Amino acid sequence: MTSTRTTETTADLRGQGRNLALATFAFAVSFWAWNVVGPLGVRYATELELTSSQKSLLVAIPVLVGSLGRILAGALTDRFGGRLMFPVLLAASAPFVLLVALAGERGSYGLLLVFGFFLGVAGTTFAVGVPFVNAWYEAPRRGFATGVFGAGMGGTALSAFFTPRMVEWFGYTATHVLVAVALVLTAVLCWTAMRDSPRWQANHNPVLPKLALGLRLPVTWRMSFLYAVTFGGFVAFSTYLPTYLTDVYDFDLKQAGTRTAGFAIAAVVARPIGGILADKVGPRTVVMASLAGTAALAVVVALEPPVEVPAGVAFVLLALFLGLGTGGVFAWVAVQSPPEKVGTVTGLVGAAGGLGGFFPPLVMGATYGVWLDDYGFGLALLVVVALGALLFTVRQPSGR
């Protein structure tokens, strides 16, 4: 029975840069689609007269499938490779973008939840890309490779900035059609131009036992917890920040979207830096710095400083620290995971990260103005969790 292995023997890796670029681009497009509901959350809340809890559930629901689906996507990538899985997932996401538009046009909150749930398919590509690029690069450069690929989460920034503007320029339905077309075209590009690494070989072991073995690895649980804090924090802010900024600072949809895009870009820039630094100083050091900075900046944000300075600066710095952490954690995954189980571990850890982004918006919506001022209670929880994760990280082996 053949198993996935990324052996360190000499192989023709001349296509590694091209395949890394393609994977990053595909990841960005899929993340734009995954986050297409969040930037319009304020619009939906106004048109459908949603409560704070209903609004938070709507913007968080795509995260659920995008998180849990990564478990299966990672395991299937070990078996079928990224060159097949990327096009399949991109193409499968396109119909749900169109169905979200249909639900919005009909003004149906229930259908928005249902189709938004399945739109989460677009968020599973992360678990495809990490093992795909990991196989293309040798161990000393895997932090760099996974960090660069992770910058594709900038698709959330593109969505936050352009989606509200495209609705204004082209109309609500046309915007969703354009996003769906982009998904299909990207799927075609990946199928025609992308190649699996010559060091990659398919793992035909049954999926469920493989997942069970992945869950038995200590690295899976350690990295899942840390990624739930770092990437989960990024996802939570990226999806809920337009609503937060509208509620706290009275920004309109475009103003909130622009600032959310800035937040996402800062995290995107920091992620590959986190991976590169992890290659040089060790992933534990990078993750520790990330968590300490996240806790400190969450305190500042909770105080609701005035715009644009210092509030804007605080949000950008918070995004930078979260981005460093996401890069550091997956550099740690690449170092500590058995090569033949990278896809499986990636799927499980990625799922934990996504779930880490699913619950905070629900907490923020449910506690808005109930305990502490505005969103103070939710941000206080972030401080506590970040500090707990920091103490946990200090006790871990360096993993270098």
Side-chain angles (χ1 to χ4, degrees), residues 11-23 132-133 135-137 141 193-199:
D12 183 2
L13 301 178
R14 285 175 294 180
Q16 61 183 190
R18 172 172 55 84
N19 282 282
L20 176 58
L22 285 169
F132 176 79
V133 302
W136 272 106
Y137 284 80
R141 298 193 68 206
M194 186 177 276
R195 295 293 181 269
D196 287 307
S197 168
R199 293 188 298 193

Side-chain angles (χ1 to χ4, degrees), residues 18-394:
R18 172 172 55 84
N19 282 282
L20 176 58
L22 285 169
T24 304
F25 176 73
F27 182 34
V29 173
S30 66
F31 253 43
W32 182 334
W34 190 37
N35 193 44
V36 77
V37 174
L40 302 177
V42 176
R43 170 193 172 109
Y44 293 131
T46 301
E47 293 184 350
L48 304 180
E49 299 180 348
L50 304 180
T51 65
S52 180
S53 295
Q54 289 175 320
K55 181 170 54 176
S56 62
L57 178 61
L58 178 61
V59 300
I61 199 68
V63 177
L64 186 60
V65 172
S67 305
L68 296 177
R70 291 177 185 182
I71 298 173
L72 181 59
L76 290 176
T77 301
D78 281 344
R79 182 166 187 169
F80 296 109
R83 192 249 178 171
L84 174 63
M85 291 300 297
F86 265 120
V88 167
L89 293 176
L90 288 163
S93 303
F96 297 111
V97 174
L98 300 177
L99 289 170
V100 165
L102 175 64
E105 286 287 3
R106 294 185 60 178
S108 171
Y109 178 68
L111 287 178
L112 278 170
L113 288 179
V114 171
F115 297 142
F117 178 85
F118 288 106
L119 180 63
V121 171
T124 64
T125 55
F126 174 78
V128 176
V130 170
F132 176 79
V133 302
N134 195 63
W136 272 106
Y137 284 80
E138 297 176 351
R141 298 193 68 206
R142 284 178 184 158
F144 158 79
T146 56
V148 170
F149 168 73
M153 68 186 189
T156 58
L158 295 173
S159 185
F161 185 84
F162 284 109
T163 300
R165 286 168 172 78
M166 288 171 64
V167 169
E168 186 177 286
W169 298 335
F170 310 120
Y172 173 81
T173 300
T175 295
H176 289 76
V177 171
L178 289 171
V179 173
V181 169
L183 286 167
V184 173
L185 292 178
T186 305
V188 173
L189 175 64
C190 289
W191 179 251
T192 56
M194 186 177 276
R195 295 293 181 269
D196 287 307
S197 168
R199 293 188 298 193
W200 176 85
Q201 292 185 7
N203 184 335
H204 293 287
N205 294 329
V207 171
L208 290 180
K210 188 163 53 177
L211 291 174
L213 288 174
L215 287 170
R216 293 175 190 169
L217 296 173
V219 63
T220 301
W221 293 100
R222 293 196 298 265
M223 296 303 109
S224 291
F225 172 58
L226 295 176
Y227 203 59
V229 178
T230 55
F231 184 73
F234 165 76
V235 170
F237 274 106
S238 296
T239 56
Y240 202 70
L241 198 54
T243 299
Y244 178 98
L245 293 175
T246 301
D247 290 340
V248 175
Y249 293 107
D250 295 322
F251 289 127
D252 63 28
L253 197 59
K254 286 197 301 182
Q255 290 172 327
T258 299
R259 286 157 180 81
T260 302
F263 177 92
I265 289 171
V268 166
V269 170
R271 179 158 187 157
I273 295 174
I276 293 169
L277 288 175
D279 287 339
K280 296 182 180 298
V281 303
R284 183 178 66 175
T285 302
V286 174
V287 175
M288 287 169 56
S290 164
L291 294 168
T294 296
L297 270 299
V299 171
V300 175
V301 169
L303 297 175
E304 297 184 6
V307 293
E308 298 288 340
V309 179
V313 174
F315 273 111
V316 169
L317 289 175
L318 175 59
L320 287 171
F321 279 111
L322 289 170
L324 286 174
T326 60
V329 169
F330 258 94
W332 217 343
V333 170
V335 169
Q336 293 195 347
S337 299
E340 72 278 5
K341 295 183 176 69
V342 171
T344 300
V345 175
T346 295
L348 293 166
V349 175
L355 287 175
F358 173 72
F359 293 105
L362 302 182
V363 173
M364 299 285 267
T367 61
Y368 176 67
V370 177
W371 293 304
L372 304 179
D373 291 335
D374 294 332
Y375 293 106
F377 182 79
L379 290 166
L381 283 179
L382 174 59
V383 174
V384 171
V385 171
L387 290 176
L390 175 60
L391 292 175
F392 174 81
T393 305
V394 169

